[in-house]
Amino acid sequence: MRFLHTADWHLGKKLNGFDLAADQWAMFKQIESVALTEQVDALVLAGDLFDRAVPSEATVDQLKKMLAQLNLVDRFPILAISGNHDSAPRLGMASAWYRAHGLYLVTEFAQAFEPIVIGDTQFFLLPYFTLQAARNYFADEQLRDLNQVMAKVVATMQAQFAPDKHHVLVAHFFAAGSQRTPASETMIEVGGLAAVDVALLAPFDYVALGHLHNPQALKTKRVKYSGSPLKLSASEATMTKGVRVVDLAADRVAWQPLSQHPDLVKVTGSFAELTAPEQVAAIDRENYYLLTLTDQNEIPDVMAKLREFYPRILSLHFTRQLNQPAVQTMHNLTEKSPLEQLAAFYEQTTGQPLTARQQKWAAEGLAKIKGEDDATTQA
């Protein structure tokens, strides 16, 4: 058995208002190309196909076209589960006729214990589930945490193992020892315990996980995250994205990187450096940018000015830090006028003195406030 492991497509995702539909189509075509080139026997999709529980009509149509291309045109069997971002009922509504064409989409906990046999391999598809769903299935209200549940899940699946087959688990959860990137991943907690003990998964030849977007989040030989195929947050900017090709007969898991264009790029420098002619000439206007300015002085309307060169800015940060104002006694404070106190505070926090124009504005504002206070007192 040779299959492609992917997950966390998050169709319908937007980055700060930018629609990723076209990027996700390009991502899909790369995944399809890897599957065809590697001549895999099946594709595994380990959850979070959608980004939200109620995807738009266009997003649902996008997934339908992708699955139809892989399954009906390319003739790949597909083994998919719902993740915590997906709506299980919506995703699984056509699962009956899907199976007739070799598209196995499992969205209910009870379906996880019926192995799907393709060639020399049994696949067990475990969708994202709640603790109560497990209690109901096992008729056991004493199940208190996720590891108790997973011990029963694995034992139940192991009882179905055929001795002449390989055994693969497809699941969507947080495995113990993994590193989470919280900016892009929703916390999964079942019964108050957020991590599955990897040791419980030892009976399987391979465990194809979804949920964590970092493919290197877990350092184990046979329990792997594929990661998301696209960069979906600032915390993922430096990650290499891709899919895994798993060859069970050869006991080999190969990493296949996917090119990122448009890419998610971090750039740091002064406004002058970021807008210098040589820098502007190198800008790929299709990329998404995370900009950090090193200027100490404020630049009016800086975002609008930067968008002239970097049209897809996701975030703008500044390296200047607010200095901690020195603690002063009440006696020292009362010796200074309000304008002097304001000037001192400004210089302490920004490292720069008030300009003449700023002093004029501050004086006018303080005079106006004082006039309003005097009028209120007289009234």
Side-chain angles (χ1 to χ4, degrees):
M1 168 56 62
R2 185 178 175 85
F3 63 90
L4 184 149
H5 169 201
T6 182
D8 296 280
W9 287 9
H10 287 273
L11 299 183
K13 173 79 173 178
K14 294 183 185 296
L15 280 179
N16 284 18
F18 293 105
D19 193 334
L20 299 182
D23 304 342
Q24 288 167 329
W25 269 115
M27 168 271 294
F28 166 77
K29 296 305 293 182
Q30 287 192 71
I31 293 175
E32 181 190 25
S33 177
V34 171
L36 291 169
T37 301
E38 295 293 327
Q39 298 181 327
V40 298
D41 301 306
L43 278 86
V44 166
L45 280 65
D48 279 357
L49 304 181
F50 292 127
D51 187 59
R52 53 187 66 231
V54 187
S56 68
E57 185 176 337
T59 301
V60 173
D61 186 60
Q62 185 178 33
L63 178 62
K64 286 168 57 179
K65 289 178 178 177
M66 289 176 174
L67 295 180
Q69 178 65 33
L70 292 172
N71 183 239
L72 301 180
V73 178
D74 299 332
R75 300 293 182 179
F76 289 120
I78 296 176
L79 302 123
I81 60 172
S82 53
N84 59 302
H85 278 255
D86 299 312
S87 167
R90 285 180 172 84
L91 195 59
M93 63 182 180
S95 57
W97 66 261
Y98 282 165
R99 284 186 171 232
H101 298 278
L103 200 170
Y104 304 94
L105 179 55
V106 171
T107 61
E108 297 179 13
F109 183 79
Q111 297 173 311
F113 306 100
E114 178 188 347
I116 296 160
V117 180
I118 300 177
D120 63 356
T121 303
Q122 288 179 308
F123 289 88
F124 293 83
L125 308 187
L126 178 65
Y128 168 70
F129 63 92
T130 65
L131 179 59
Q132 191 57 51
R135 287 171 177 164
N136 293 344
Y137 179 81
F138 290 115
D140 186 354
E141 291 296 323
Q142 301 306 310
L143 293 172
R144 298 299 179 190
D145 62 51
L146 185 54
N147 280 324
Q148 284 183 323
V149 170
M150 284 305 300
K152 296 199 73 164
V153 166
V154 173
T156 305
M157 291 177 175
Q158 204 169 358
Q160 307 297 319
F161 281 10
D164 60 339
K165 303 291 185 185
H166 293 294
H167 311 104
V168 173
L169 173 65
V170 182
H172 194 93
F173 52 63
F174 181 58
S178 301
Q179 295 181 341
R180 195 196 308 267
T181 53
S184 57
E185 296 148 4
T186 302
M187 292 282 282
I188 292 182
E189 295 205 9
V190 183
L193 184 61
V196 172
D197 186 347
V198 175
L200 293 171
L201 309 176
F204 295 95
D205 295 294
Y206 185 81
V207 179
L209 292 178
H211 177 51
L212 298 191
H213 294 184
N214 181 359
Q216 304 303 321
L218 189 62
K219 306 291 186 180
T220 57
K221 181 180 178 181
R222 296 183 179 179
V223 183
K224 299 282 189 184
Y225 289 99
S226 68
S228 60
L230 283 183
K231 298 177 182 180
L232 299 175
S233 74
S235 62
E236 300 176 38
T238 59
M239 292 180 187
T240 299
K241 298 294 188 173
V243 297
R244 300 192 186 279
V245 176
V246 182
D247 190 326
L248 295 177
D251 192 22
R252 183 176 65 246
V253 181
W255 174 250
Q256 292 286 341
L258 301 177
S259 64
Q260 300 287 301
H261 188 267
D263 203 354
L264 187 57
V265 181
K266 290 183 176 181
V267 182
T268 299
S270 68
F271 181 81
E273 291 169 338
L274 266 56
T275 58
E278 61 274 16
Q279 173 69 12
V280 170
I283 294 172
D284 185 337
R285 295 175 66 87
E286 295 295 313
N287 285 340
Y288 302 100
Y289 287 97
L290 308 163
L291 301 182
T292 300
L293 284 182
T294 59
D295 299 84
Q296 295 302 305
N297 296 324
E298 186 173 346
I299 302 172
D301 203 18
V302 64
M303 181 65 87
K305 291 176 179 177
L306 286 170
R307 283 199 190 280
E308 294 179 17
F309 308 101
Y310 304 85
R312 292 181 168 186
I313 298 176
L314 298 183
S315 67
L316 177 60
H317 298 283
F318 299 86
T319 59
R320 63 174 183 260
Q321 300 293 324
L322 295 181
N323 298 322
Q324 294 298 322
V327 177
Q328 300 188 46
T329 65
M330 184 62 68
H331 174 71
N332 290 334
L333 288 174
T334 56
E335 287 180 348
K336 295 182 177 181
S337 69
L339 183 57
E340 290 173 329
Q341 293 180 41
L342 176 61
F345 176 78
Y346 182 86
E347 185 166 356
Q348 289 169 347
T349 55
T350 67
Q352 302 290 330
L354 286 172
T355 64
R357 178 176 293 185
Q358 289 172 327
Q359 290 184 38
K360 181 175 180 293
W361 290 339
E364 291 173 350
L366 289 168
K368 181 179 179 181
I369 293 171
K370 186 176 185 304
E372 292 174 351
D373 287 345
D374 289 345
T376 302
T377 301
Q378 293 174 3

